[in-house]
């Protein structure tokens, strides 16, 4: 009964979130957390709490409460590492890094991406390693560390090709294109941009194609 109650509340929260009713989604998430804490057992409670916190992080990010979003993601990371779910733990670290990056907190963002890079390497997850490298490369680009940014972009593209992840290849080549452009290397920039565009077209990412 209790798991069903928490699951139902989370389902309603997701529905509210999709309808852009962020306050309602947050309220339902808090109600679900109370049910989990009071009535659900062990690992099942931890997993459900992580799912709820992920949605709460999304809600806070979209409403501009990015510090709260990061705190929720940090909570998710701790829970998932405790459960041995390193893949989702790394994904939550990368998400936190992207939020920090968007807010201009480059030093903090870089630490998140470096942590994700280390854990991805340790657990042999090439796709997440590539995403961490692309995120870190973007920070390096914004800091004017162009050669390091290009190396990270190239490594991210390599991981994308290993895992046949067109989205990752596109992001990596887009990063390289931006760095090359800032360095005045226009022909290599255009070449990298063409490769990025082709990858985003394969991935059917309309937003990145337009950009």
């Amino acid at each position: 009964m209790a798991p069903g109650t928490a699951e139902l509340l989370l389902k309603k929260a997701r529905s509210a979130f999709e309808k852009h009713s962020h306050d309602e989604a947050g309220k339902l998430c808090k109600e679900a957390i109370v049910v989990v804490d009071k009535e659900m057992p062990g690992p099942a409670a931890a997993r459900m709490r992580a799912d709820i916190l992920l949605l709460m992080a999304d809600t806070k990010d979209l409403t501009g409460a990015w510090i709260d979003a990061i705190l929720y993601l940090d909570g998710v990371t701790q829970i998932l590492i405790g459960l041995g779910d390193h893949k989702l733990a790394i994904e939550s670290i990368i998400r936190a890094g992207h939020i920090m990056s968007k807010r201009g907190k480059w030093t903090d963002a870089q630490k998140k991406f470096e942590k994700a890079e280390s854990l991805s390497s340790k657990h042999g997850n090439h796709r997440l390693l590539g995403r961490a490298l692309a995120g870190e490369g973007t920070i390096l680009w914004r800091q004017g560390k162009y050669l390091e940014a290009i190396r990270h972009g190239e490594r991210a593209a390599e991981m994308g090709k290993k895992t046949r992840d067109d989205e990752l290849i596109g992001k990596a080549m887009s990063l390289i294109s931006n760095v090359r452009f800032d360095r005045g290397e226009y022909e290599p920039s255009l070449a990298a941009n063409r490769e990025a565009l082709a990858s985003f077209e394969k991935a059917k990412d309309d937003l990145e194609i337009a950009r």
Side-chain angles (χ1 to χ4, degrees), residues 15-23 62:
S15 177
F17 179 81
E18 289 169 3
K19 295 174 183 175
H20 308 291
S21 299
H22 298 135
D23 289 342
L62 286 179

Side-chain angles (χ1 to χ4, degrees), residues 1-10 27-42 44-46 48-49 52:
M1 183 92 159
T5 302
E7 288 168 2
L8 180 59
L9 286 166
L10 180 56
K27 178 184 174 184
L28 288 164
C29 283
K30 288 178 181 178
E31 291 177 14
I33 287 285
V34 171
V35 173
V36 170
D37 289 346
K38 284 185 176 180
E39 302 178 27
M40 287 185 70
M48 179 62 71
R49 173 178 273 273
I52 295 166

Side-chain angles (χ1 to χ4, degrees), residues 44-114:
R47 174 65 64 178
M48 179 62 71
R49 173 178 273 273
D51 289 342
I52 295 166
L53 290 176
L54 277 172
L55 182 56
M56 292 175 80
D58 286 338
T59 300
K60 291 298 183 181
D61 184 23
L62 286 179
T63 56
W66 63 275
I67 293 177
D68 288 339
I70 290 167
L71 289 173
Y72 287 138
L73 287 170
D74 286 346
V76 171
T77 300
Q78 292 175 12
I79 291 169
L80 294 174
I81 287 176
L83 291 172
D85 190 339
H86 297 100
K87 176 180 176 292
L88 289 181
I90 296 165
E91 287 182 353
S92 67
I93 294 170
I94 291 172
R95 287 175 63 181
H98 282 303
I99 293 173
M100 290 174 172
S101 179
K102 285 190 298 183
R103 302 295 174 177
K105 302 296 181 181
W106 295 337
T107 300
D108 293 333
Q110 187 167 359
K111 288 178 182 177
K112 291 291 185 184
F113 290 130
E114 287 173 348

